[in-house]
Amino acid sequence: MNVPIIECRDVKKAFGKKEILSGLSLDIPKGSVFGLLGKNGAGKTTLIKLLVGLLKPDAGALSVLGEMPWRFSDEAKERFGYVPQREKLYPWLTVRQLIDYAGSFYRHWNEGLVDELVRQWRLNNHEKIGVLSEGEAQKVAIILALAHEPELLILDEPVASLDPLARREFLKTILHSVADRQCTVFFSTHITSDLERVADHVALINESRVSFCGELDDLKERVKRIRLPGQKLSPGQLQMDGVLACEETQGGLVLTVYDHRGEVIQSFHNRFGQGVQVEHLNLEEIFLEMSR
Amino acid sequence: MRSPFLKIVQLYWQNMGFRLLFLALVLSAAVSKIAYHIGFLVYAEEFFNLMFVVMLWLAFHLGIVIKRQFAQYQSSVFPRYRLYHLAGMVCVYLIVIGLSVLWGQGMILDLPWLPHQSMAGVWGSCLLASLIVIGVGYFSTGRVVLYGYCLLLVLSAFGAQITDIYREFPFLVFVPFCFWAAGLVFFLWRLSHLNEESFEYPYLLSWPPQASSGWQGRPAGAKDPCFEKAVRPCSGRKYFECATVWCRIRHWKNSDGEGPKLIWSMAWAVLAIYVLTFFEVSWMSDWLKNVYGNFLIFVVTPLVLVTVSYYKRLIFWGYDVVRPVSRSRYMKDHIVSVCLEAFWYWVLTVLVLGVVPSLVFYVDALAWPQFWGFFVLSGSLLFLTLAVVVSMVASESTVSFIVNAGLLSGIVAVLFGVSAEMTVQSYILCCWACLASGLIFIKRGYHAWCEKEYV
């Protein structure tokens, strides 16, 4: 579980003068379900394209499945599956033709799984890709990524176009893959509730860097909301390390804190005594507070 | 606030391809005029011809730019979008193309060896040709590009005869004008009604091809026959089981769409030429008999066919390279495939438009080494041209693209001029030079493609 399957060290990438990733470092443990969160333009898709070898890093070291992605061997490519954010599938092929075409590149191709997913997601084998809806095409792209039962799945917002039913089925399939085959899943998404449901690790990208990378439970444990009822202090008087946000409300002060070692909350307890109320936050709230 | 109309006109000017081609147009026109004034009439005509070619390229590019402005949601959603864009388009078209055609007319009128009568007909024909080329760029489908190519091929072969017709029958000068006006009205009507249901909506040419928004016409695609025809079924053979490059190439072909079928578009044009020759339509049999005059056709036809079928594939390369195939092998497969395909198209073109007519009209010519040297030179030049295209397509830079294309056009033009009068030794020398430099470009292109990023 602790062996990293993906390692990034000080990875930099710019398009022209615009720096997308500036010294990003990240370790993704084998067997984990790893969620990547970040605002639009934070560099999630760029990072994913670097990980699958579509882009070349300007600086830094990248290792995926023990290889440099830009120079992936055929064997390494057999071991991962990828679903792009905007799938580019040949519109003139039928679903079955495309599956057969993609399958012909892999030594291992689970036809049973393909048939099951095609049936489960109500896809028509004889329909042209060009006439499928965005969601249906996304389902096909997901099937293509799962069918060779890869060790590593890299998914760029895979569920954005799926309906709730397909999303649930997809998440279930992912969980099964992890449970049955110790598959590692790395995916970016904006749907934090899905991420909360399946991910055990999470990374937040903020301003071209990783602002948090670790276990999801750990993140939830560290970021808390503190209410100080009846306090009339100005937010400026509470500026200290670990305070992410401070807001004045009618009932008093509301703070969001990033408490690395439990010291911040302790200091509030020491200062304000029993009046301090500590609340847990869900992932969406944490993301919003840490992305400010 | 500046008017939306001016901003639309600015859209054209901001396009680097448009700017460079416009500059080339102005320069060639200016040089032809200067050459005319200082008495170099032959050069004046040469540069005028160049100006006309640049004008056609500009018209093609204009068609692509116009399509990108209309085949998108904004044209249906923004208020008065189409009105302003149509007005902007007409102004740009009339200013750029119309003025260059007027300039051309002025030049031709004053060249002593060209017929002076009824030059308005020539002007109308030029305008009509420009509109046809704009239409080719606008429709942007492989088929229309090929049909347009065939049409211009035939038209260009009869430039002198068309001029003679206007001289003999002056009342016919109105015909091209009428066609042009009707075509323009139809084009404006089409643009004002273009929507996702239109068959041409999904086809957007872009540079680089990967920048294309990809597939964007679900309802239109459902109706287009190109997307209804079955492609070659997957053989069931695995890629890694293929031991040779030939087998691997066949494997990639499993995902081919309409590309290879485009050859049939050309077959119709060839059939028409043969039928007209059979019925002894004098111009056509003259044209077919003049094998040495058709050097460009032997070079350009295979190139057009292979480029059209591969352009479509490029959009999907970004997804195909994640399959378990190393980049170097992937690129080698495709480069070999492109060259091989071009070779077969070349053999076919040479047979149909070179060898067979010679068998019928000048059977003795088949025994001349120069006859075969001529064709081998066209094949070698095709290889060089293809190699430069492979190399420059990888660069993604519009400037480098146009510079390379310009240099290449120069080489082709020079060889075209001398191709029919060379000795066997010079054919051999030129062929070696073309093949050697072609190999250098192919190698350069291969390395560039291997290092290419897919954004």
Side-chain angles (χ1 to χ4, degrees):
Chain A
M1 182 76 178
N2 293 324
V3 186
I5 199 164
I6 295 175
E7 287 178 87
C8 308
R9 290 281 169 276
D10 295 321
V11 173
K12 290 182 180 173
K13 183 69 193 172
F15 294 127
K17 286 179 184 165
K18 189 177 180 186
E19 198 168 50
I20 309 295
L21 300 174
S22 51
L24 182 137
S25 295
L26 199 66
D27 278 351
I28 295 164
K30 198 172 177 181
S32 61
V33 178
F34 201 106
L36 185 65
L37 276 174
K39 288 191 283 193
N40 292 333
K44 300 186 296 295
T45 298
T46 303
L47 175 63
I48 285 178
K49 286 191 172 184
L50 286 165
L51 295 180
V52 295
L54 291 175
L55 297 176
K56 189 155 69 170
D58 296 336
L62 261 179
S63 165
V64 177
L65 296 159
E67 290 190 19
M68 201 170 85
W70 186 250
R71 301 266 175 246
F72 263 145
S73 65
D74 299 358
E75 290 72 29
K77 284 183 174 180
E78 294 233 30
R79 291 164 61 198
F80 77 84
Y82 165 57
V83 178
Q85 189 179 27
R86 289 183 65 188
E87 73 291 335
K88 281 189 173 175
L89 308 172
Y90 297 100
W92 54 82
L93 296 185
T94 63
V95 171
R96 178 40 63 182
Q97 281 170 334
L98 185 67
I99 289 171
D100 288 345
Y101 170 69
S104 68
F105 290 97
Y106 295 89
R107 283 163 208 277
H108 174 71
W109 191 257
N110 189 338
E111 277 297 339
L113 178 65
V114 170
D115 291 341
E116 191 189 318
L117 289 174
V118 166
R119 206 175 39 250
Q120 206 172 42
W121 285 344
R122 291 176 192 83
L123 292 167
N124 182 350
N125 269 324
H126 306 292
E127 217 155 30
K128 297 264 180 201
I129 298 293
V131 299
L132 297 182
S133 72
E134 223 174 290
E136 286 171 322
Q138 187 76 344
K139 286 175 186 173
V140 176
I142 292 169
I143 291 173
L144 296 184
L146 291 172
H148 59 288
E149 299 188 317
E151 280 172 53
L152 170 65
L153 260 176
I154 300 178
L155 315 157
D156 193 359
E157 296 189 32
V159 291
S161 324
L162 300 187
D163 60 66
L165 191 70
R167 248 172 56 207
R168 201 161 278 258
E169 294 288 351
F170 167 71
L171 296 175
K172 212 162 77 182
T173 311
I174 283 194
L175 288 175
H176 282 161
S177 301
V178 177
D180 298 346
R181 295 183 290 106
Q182 276 290 293
C183 173
T184 309
V185 182
F186 179 76
F187 72 113
S188 72
T189 184
H190 285 126
I191 305 173
T192 48
S193 57
D194 285 346
L195 207 144
E196 252 178 317
R197 197 173 297 147
V198 294
D200 47 40
H201 284 69
V202 67
L204 296 177
I205 303 188
N206 206 1
E207 287 170 5
S208 313
R209 288 170 184 276
V210 174
S211 58
F212 175 85
C213 177
E215 290 185 23
L216 180 58
D217 292 341
D218 193 23
L219 178 68
K220 285 181 165 180
E221 204 51 51
R222 288 183 192 190
V223 183
K224 301 282 182 199
R225 181 168 291 152
I226 295 176
R227 286 186 190 277
L228 301 173
Q231 288 297 332
K232 300 290 179 202
L233 293 169
S234 71
Q237 289 174 283
L238 289 171
Q239 281 301 326
M240 56 189 285
D241 280 349
V243 175
L244 297 173
C246 183
E247 210 179 327
E248 269 182 292
T249 63
Q250 283 186 335
L253 285 171
V254 180
L255 298 101
T256 309
V257 297
Y258 182 83
D259 197 356
H260 190 53
R261 286 187 286 267
E263 291 162 352
V264 180
I265 292 174
Q266 190 56 49
S267 73
F268 274 98
H269 277 301
N270 294 342
R271 193 167 163 189
F272 299 103
Q274 294 301 310
V276 178
Q277 295 170 5
V278 180
E279 291 174 7
H280 298 287
L281 297 177
N282 64 29
L283 189 56
E284 185 163 317
E285 289 167 320
I286 294 172
F287 171 64
L288 288 173
E289 295 296 349
M290 290 189 74
S291 303
R292 279 183 194 218
Chain B
M1 191 180 156
R2 285 159 60 195
S3 83
F5 176 75
L6 283 177
K7 286 181 181 165
I8 289 162
V9 174
Q10 203 182 16
L11 270 182
Y12 291 91
W13 186 243
Q14 280 169 342
N15 187 296
M16 182 58 98
F18 181 86
R19 228 187 289 186
L20 287 172
L21 284 167
F22 184 68
L23 199 67
L25 184 81
V26 172
L27 274 178
S28 52
V31 172
S32 70
K33 202 73 184 168
I34 292 166
Y36 176 79
H37 277 297
I38 57 178
F40 293 125
L41 297 189
V42 178
Y43 291 107
E45 194 189 5
E46 287 292 322
F47 273 97
F48 167 71
N49 289 337
L50 179 69
M51 186 189 84
F52 186 70
V53 173
V54 174
M55 187 199 78
L56 290 182
W57 273 109
L58 189 63
F60 180 67
H61 192 76
L62 204 62
I64 294 169
V65 178
I66 290 167
K67 178 71 169 286
R68 295 200 77 85
Q69 290 175 14
F70 284 86
Q72 53 160 308
Y73 76 94
Q74 291 170 342
S75 67
S76 303
V77 174
F78 285 11
R80 292 173 295 283
Y81 182 98
R82 289 189 199 230
L83 184 71
Y84 282 123
H85 276 78
L86 285 174
M89 183 209 96
V90 170
C91 284
V92 169
Y93 171 64
L94 288 181
I95 290 168
V96 176
I97 309 290
L99 279 185
S100 63
V101 170
L102 264 180
W103 183 299
Q105 191 200 21
M107 288 290 304
I108 297 172
L109 274 173
D110 291 341
L111 289 172
W113 57 85
L114 288 170
H116 288 190
Q117 293 94 331
S118 311
M119 289 315 295
V122 176
W123 192 43
S125 303
C126 290
L127 275 179
L128 182 60
S130 72
L131 195 64
I132 291 170
V133 177
I134 285 183
V136 170
Y138 164 77
F139 283 105
S140 294
T141 74
R143 272 156 208 269
V144 174
V145 169
L146 280 185
Y147 291 143
Y149 173 72
C150 292
L151 189 68
L152 288 175
L153 195 77
V154 174
L155 280 180
S156 66
F158 304 116
Q161 285 89 339
I162 290 171
T163 317
D164 284 344
I165 288 183
Y166 295 138
R167 187 168 45 191
E168 281 179 41
F169 310 102
F171 61 92
L172 284 179
V173 298
F174 296 107
V175 174
F177 275 110
C178 292
F179 274 111
W180 172 73
L184 192 61
V185 170
F186 171 75
F187 189 47
L188 292 176
W189 173 82
R190 190 74 197 159
L191 282 174
S192 61
H193 288 81
L194 182 73
N195 59 51
E196 282 205 26
E197 303 273 343
S198 314
F199 86 91
E200 74 266 36
Y201 189 87
Y203 303 96
L204 281 178
L205 284 177
S206 68
W207 195 255
Q210 289 91 335
S212 159
S213 49
W215 182 244
Q216 63 154 11
R218 191 179 169 209
K223 284 190 294 188
D224 191 331
C226 300
F227 294 93
E228 282 167 12
K229 287 184 183 166
V231 291
R232 187 196 303 215
C234 207
S235 60
R237 192 171 196 176
K238 296 271 187 179
Y239 178 83
F240 52 83
E241 289 167 359
C242 296
T244 62
V245 69
W246 317 115
C247 173
R248 294 204 300 270
I249 289 171
R250 278 205 301 278
H251 189 93
W252 292 114
K253 296 275 169 208
N254 288 334
S255 66
D256 264 344
E258 59 167 330
K261 293 197 291 286
L262 287 170
I263 188 73
W264 297 112
S265 307
M266 299 300 288
W268 288 112
V270 170
L271 188 70
I273 292 169
Y274 269 52
V275 167
L276 289 171
T277 308
F278 181 77
F279 287 107
E280 296 187 342
V281 175
S282 64
W283 303 344
M284 193 51 82
S285 51
D286 286 348
W287 183 74
L288 203 59
K289 280 177 194 170
N290 184 18
V291 170
Y292 292 106
N294 293 336
F295 182 76
L296 278 183
I297 290 171
F298 301 126
V299 179
V300 178
T301 305
L303 188 74
V304 170
L305 280 168
V306 85
T307 316
V308 164
S309 68
Y310 265 85
Y311 177 86
K312 242 176 72 172
R313 270 199 84 102
L314 284 178
I315 299 165
F316 305 98
W317 278 22
Y319 192 46
D320 262 355
V321 290
V322 297
R323 305 267 164 251
V325 181
S326 65
R327 269 176 183 248
S328 54
R329 179 174 275 194
Y330 182 80
M331 296 310 165
K332 271 181 202 159
D333 286 356
H334 281 88
I335 287 174
V336 172
S337 172
V338 165
C339 292
L340 198 68
E341 214 166 286
F343 173 74
W344 286 120
Y345 287 141
W346 172 76
V347 168
L348 211 63
T349 314
V350 164
L351 268 179
V352 172
L353 296 176
V355 177
V356 173
S358 301
L359 263 173
V360 177
F361 299 114
Y362 318 101
V363 71
D364 296 345
L366 270 71
W368 302 342
Q370 282 92 341
F371 176 82
W372 297 106
F374 171 80
F375 289 121
V376 177
L377 178 66
S378 73
S380 311
L381 189 60
L382 165 66
F383 178 68
L384 173 62
T385 313
L386 196 63
V388 175
V389 170
V390 166
S391 169
M392 72 187 183
V393 168
S395 85
E396 287 190 14
S397 147
T398 314
V399 178
S400 129
F401 185 85
I402 289 176
V403 168
N404 274 301
L407 285 173
L408 194 63
S409 307
I411 295 171
V412 175
V414 168
L415 283 177
F416 172 55
V418 296
S419 61
E421 297 142 9
M422 288 163 70
T423 61
V424 174
Q425 284 83 359
S426 21
Y427 276 128
I428 294 171
L429 193 71
C430 280
C431 289
W432 276 115
C434 287
L435 291 174
S437 40
L439 278 176
I440 293 169
F441 274 105
I442 284 275
K443 201 173 167 194
R444 217 178 88 177
Y446 163 73
H447 286 299
W449 278 106
C450 282
E451 294 299 314
K452 199 171 170 67
E453 290 188 323
Y454 293 92
V455 183

